[in-house]
Amino acid sequence: MTEIPAAHPAVDYLLLTPGPLTTTATVRAAMLQDSCTWDSDYNLGVVEPVRRELVRLATARHGADYSCVLLQGSGTYVVECVLGCAIGKQERLLIINNGAYGARMVEMARLLGLNHLALDCGETQRPHLAEIEQLLIAHPDITHLAMVHCETTTGMLNPLDEVAALCRLRGIRLIVDAMSSFGGIPMDIGELGVEFLISSANKCIQGVPGFGFVVARRCALEACAGRARSLSLDLHGQWHAMEAQGGKWRFTSPTHVVLAFAQALRELEQEGGISARHRRYSENQRRLVAGMERLGFRPLLARHWHSPIITAFHSPTHPDYRFADFYQALKEQGFVIYPGKVSQADCFRIGNIGDVSPAQIDALLAAVAKACEPLMA
């Protein structure tokens, strides 16, 4: 048998990424308990309160109209599950694509054989409402629209309120990939008229990776019955099992991850809820951009398009700059950042979410200045 190397000694890096992200010690400690997947202490005592709390966070006044489904896997699994179950054979989907995650939805729709159309905006442009409306007029068979709220390819915050209003006006059912925004940016999906909201445990709620979730209109979940193109990615099947069996998952539940997520939800409430978390993330991002600009770095996007989640910066033009060297110099000081994902620009990204304070952003900026010293010599 090949010897499996021992894990590296634990190092308390600050993960400045859009998820997985830096979690609290108490969230990690919540996983130090084993749970049985059929036990009511787990299903009724943990899973069901989590489902109810997610609906409460998603909409203040329309909770009776919505329900929540938890699903094993990363956020991408859950997006594919929703697309594969929400779009019927006689329906058509419009996908707004202005980054890697919009493009991923387009690829999913192609592989699933969905009747779909894509509006390709370019990676550094916001979608224009007039273009969306023109497509809806030109293609009256479009029934659904899917978009990413915070496109972490660039840090772009897409115009959810405006797109939702257009969908309400034209009777289009809205699917929102709120992977990197739900829990960190205030929204009320009942007021917006969102039919399906999709997010993940390891984003703004500040849990750990292992499952994603959908908050959706009950009538929309009922309409998914019999539409699944996959056994395991059957949204109605998972929802019906949880509804009928008090939080029971159809297949093995990621119990430790769910316990961590329940603790993360408690800590969100202790912080002051989504509005308080949004203020912290926004201050992190404001301080980050101001400090990076003082150091000579240029953000990729116009300031008014930035989300408080993650920011892309142009790479230095110095001939000796290498992202791998810059990354390692920061890592040695305890900070982990993200490479760029934009195909037409040389850039890197720094996230603001997770258990990260403004003071830690200041410490990062000092580390960036030190990492850049060889380029200034």
Side-chain angles (χ1 to χ4, degrees):
M1 174 181 172
T2 302
E3 182 178 348
I4 299 174
H8 293 292
V11 179
D12 195 18
Y13 294 119
L14 193 71
L15 298 181
L16 296 159
T17 67
L21 38 67
T22 293
T23 54
T24 63
T26 41
V27 164
R28 297 192 296 274
M31 293 187 286
L32 300 176
Q33 175 182 331
D34 296 324
S35 296
C36 181
T37 57
W38 58 262
D39 196 310
S40 62
D41 286 350
Y42 173 69
N43 291 314
L44 292 176
V46 181
V47 177
E48 286 296 271
V50 163
R51 293 178 65 213
R52 290 193 296 269
E53 179 65 1
L54 288 172
V55 171
R56 187 189 74 82
L57 291 173
T59 178
R61 295 196 299 161
H62 301 271
D65 297 331
Y66 285 83
S67 186
C68 180
V69 193
L70 313 181
L71 193 75
Q72 301 92 326
S74 72
T76 296
Y77 286 58
V78 187
V79 174
E80 187 162 359
C81 174
V82 171
L83 296 185
C85 297
I87 314 302
K89 292 181 179 179
Q90 306 305 315
E91 296 173 329
R92 193 175 195 191
L93 172 67
L94 171 61
I95 300 170
I96 308 301
N97 172 21
N98 66 333
Y101 299 96
R104 189 174 294 179
M105 285 200 285
V106 174
E107 180 69 1
M108 289 174 187
R110 185 186 68 80
L111 292 171
L112 289 167
L114 303 181
N115 184 6
H116 70 283
L117 182 68
L119 173 59
D120 294 321
C121 308
E123 294 171 317
T124 58
Q125 294 297 317
R126 262 186 154 202
H128 295 294
L129 288 182
E131 290 185 16
I132 297 173
E133 188 164 26
Q134 287 170 7
L135 279 174
L136 295 177
I137 293 170
H139 302 275
D141 57 337
I142 292 173
T143 55
H144 294 72
L145 184 149
M147 67 175 289
V148 177
H149 185 200
C150 175
E151 179 52 85
T152 55
T153 304
T154 58
M156 176 85 71
L157 190 63
N158 282 325
L160 175 59
D161 289 4
E162 295 90 335
V163 172
L166 178 60
C167 287
R168 291 197 305 274
L169 180 67
R170 304 198 66 86
I172 303 297
R173 283 164 275 178
L174 180 58
I175 300 169
V176 178
D177 174 343
M179 210 65 62
S180 296
S181 60
F182 181 72
I185 297 177
M187 67 183 82
D188 188 315
I189 65 171
E191 294 294 306
L192 292 170
V194 174
E195 188 136 302
F196 294 92
L197 175 139
I198 309 159
S199 193
S200 181
N202 59 293
K203 299 288 186 174
C204 295
I205 303 294
Q206 298 183 182
V208 300
F211 75 91
F213 54 88
V214 182
V215 182
R217 290 191 188 277
R218 288 181 173 273
C219 58
L221 290 167
E222 291 283 10
C224 290
R227 288 182 175 177
R229 293 162 169 85
S230 162
L231 173 64
S232 57
L233 300 183
D234 182 343
L235 187 62
H236 181 269
Q238 185 89 336
W239 175 65
H240 185 265
M242 289 184 168
E243 290 281 290
Q245 300 180 58
K248 183 76 170 63
W249 301 55
R250 290 164 67 227
F251 306 117
T252 304
S253 169
T255 53
H256 301 84
V257 175
V258 175
L259 292 172
F261 189 74
Q263 175 62 23
L265 284 170
R266 287 188 284 271
E267 294 179 11
L268 173 62
E269 181 69 16
Q270 290 162 7
E271 185 172 351
I274 293 174
S275 294
R277 185 155 291 179
H278 178 249
R279 286 194 296 272
R280 173 164 62 86
Y281 288 171
S282 296
E283 175 59 18
N284 285 347
Q285 199 270 344
R286 185 202 64 77
R287 196 171 295 208
L288 171 70
V289 171
M292 291 293 284
E293 287 180 333
R294 284 195 299 271
L295 293 171
F297 290 89
R298 290 189 303 116
L300 177 70
L301 298 179
R303 189 182 297 270
H304 59 279
W305 285 350
H306 284 167
S307 75
I309 306 303
I310 192 168
T311 306
F313 294 93
H314 288 283
S315 296
T317 56
H318 193 286
D320 292 337
Y321 170 81
R322 301 288 184 275
F323 174 76
D325 297 335
F326 181 55
Y327 175 91
Q328 190 60 36
L330 290 178
K331 187 175 180 182
E332 288 172 359
Q333 298 178 74
F335 301 95
V336 174
I337 65 171
Y338 238 38
K341 206 176 181 71
V342 179
S343 59
Q344 301 301 317
D346 184 6
C347 58
F348 60 90
R349 296 173 290 166
I350 300 178
N352 310 290
I353 63 177
D355 185 34
V356 178
S357 68
Q360 288 170 312
I361 295 295
D362 291 343
L364 165 71
L365 292 168
V368 170
K370 183 176 180 180
C372 291
E373 285 176 358
L375 305 181
M376 307 302 177

